[in-house]
Amino acid sequence: MRRVILHVDMNSCYASIELLHRPQLRGRPMAVGGDPESRHGIVLAKDQLAKKAGVKTGMALWEARRLCPEIVFVPPNLELYMRFSKMAHAIYGEYTEQQEAFGIDESWLDVTASSGCCGSSNDIAQDISRRIKKELGVTVSIGVSWNKIFAKFGSDYRKPDAITQITPSNYRTIIWPQPVGNLLYVGRATERKLYEHGILTIGQLAQTDPAFLGGLLGKMGVILHMFANGEDQTPVSRESFQAPIKSVGNGITAPRDLVSDQDVKIIVEMLSESVSKRMRASQLKCTVVEFFALSSDMEYSYGRQHKIKRPTNISSEIAREALDLYYAGWYGQRPIRHIGVRASGLVDALCPEQMDLCVNEVRRRKLDQMDVTMESIRSRFGYGSVRKGMMLTDTDLSGRAEVKDHEVHPHGYFEAGNRTGVEKYAV
């Protein structure tokens, strides 16, 4: 039996939700983005009026304002968007248990087993579209197909408030003439490589020798060939599925350029505290610390990682490792705009550890307890109730750059799935 997969995408999700709560902005171009004063200058979502003016997601706020001088920027409210996402998933759950989120506003639904009681795939798609509009006040675009990749393409094909069916009889007509960059997981670098070899459309990708694509792009080239031919067999995860946490990280764009070691230390300490808190909440420790930086002109980036001897979730140890990576590769090169700290190689916090005679274990326990105590005080009295002394050396930087913990990272496409069929090609 051929599968029936829906991909539901809430149209201009953030902007649509904001307009529900800010009706006074209707009729004016509006975008959800960071605070221009703090240089969190990226457009996260835009309404239809801003879109018509040329504003695009990911565009710098100053560039969006240049294209659309009358645009209104609204700061993101992730808790509100998450609430709407949960309400949408509650509706999806009435049709299938197999629903897989792809970020806050997108989900795949496997409704193969639901057709007997809920009607055809088109009936289910129309019903979901109607209910989301009536019960949540926003619109969705839905792609319907027999695999996840083509269902995703269908939801992107017509917007807003549309349903597109991609079938074995029409996918060559609808999908194959489209630019190869419109296929999921064909990024800019991959698109550029394909263009260099005359592969401009999805159809040309589908008809290219998979062995050649494997030589050009590695195993991902073969996978993209399968995607283009509708051979994706990756399953839709069940609602309760949670992929194992592979890393915990945070990054921040500073309110001003970081031009000294002290500036970098302040931000790294704040990021490390956030990472430490989140690992502790999940009862994890890390064995690898990663550091990332982006220059103020956004032309140079630097990223390094280091495997540490002892698993840790102590903020000061994470910060020390991150700063060592900074000194080793970036130190003194140019002003920094953005910094990220990530912990990976995660292990259970209760796993036995090999003791080290050269490490002061009493001091480590005190540092760990200090983190726990600070988190406890902050949970009761707020983030600013207790801080490390260095934060007071630049209250403008440390105060305005407080790290938020509500970052959302979609699961990797293949985490719960498989790549059945790749092995038939010799790569």
Side-chain angles (χ1 to χ4, degrees), residues 323-378:
L323 286 170
D324 285 348
L325 293 170
Y326 157 72
Y327 289 129
W330 184 288
Y331 181 62
Q333 289 196 33
R334 61 186 76 190
I336 296 176
R337 172 189 178 89
H338 181 92
I339 281 182
V341 173
R342 183 173 296 275
S344 58
L346 302 180
V347 297
D348 193 308
L350 300 180
C351 281
E353 296 181 25
Q354 176 65 49
M355 303 295 287
D356 189 337
L357 296 176
C358 298
V359 173
N360 188 334
E361 295 295 339
V362 174
R363 182 174 184 274
R364 288 193 85 224
R365 286 196 294 271
K366 288 181 178 179
L367 291 173
D368 180 71
Q369 189 56 49
M370 183 175 71
D371 282 343
V372 172
T373 303
M374 288 178 63
E375 290 170 14
S376 176
I377 293 172
R378 287 172 175 173

Side-chain angles (χ1 to χ4, degrees), residues 45 69 100 147 162 170 173 181 191 222 234 285 330 332 364 380 386:
E100 179 181 342
N147 63 78
N170 72 9
T173 303
E191 182 181 31
V222 180
T234 313
K285 292 183 179 180
W330 184 288
R364 288 193 85 224
R380 294 183 61 190
V386 56

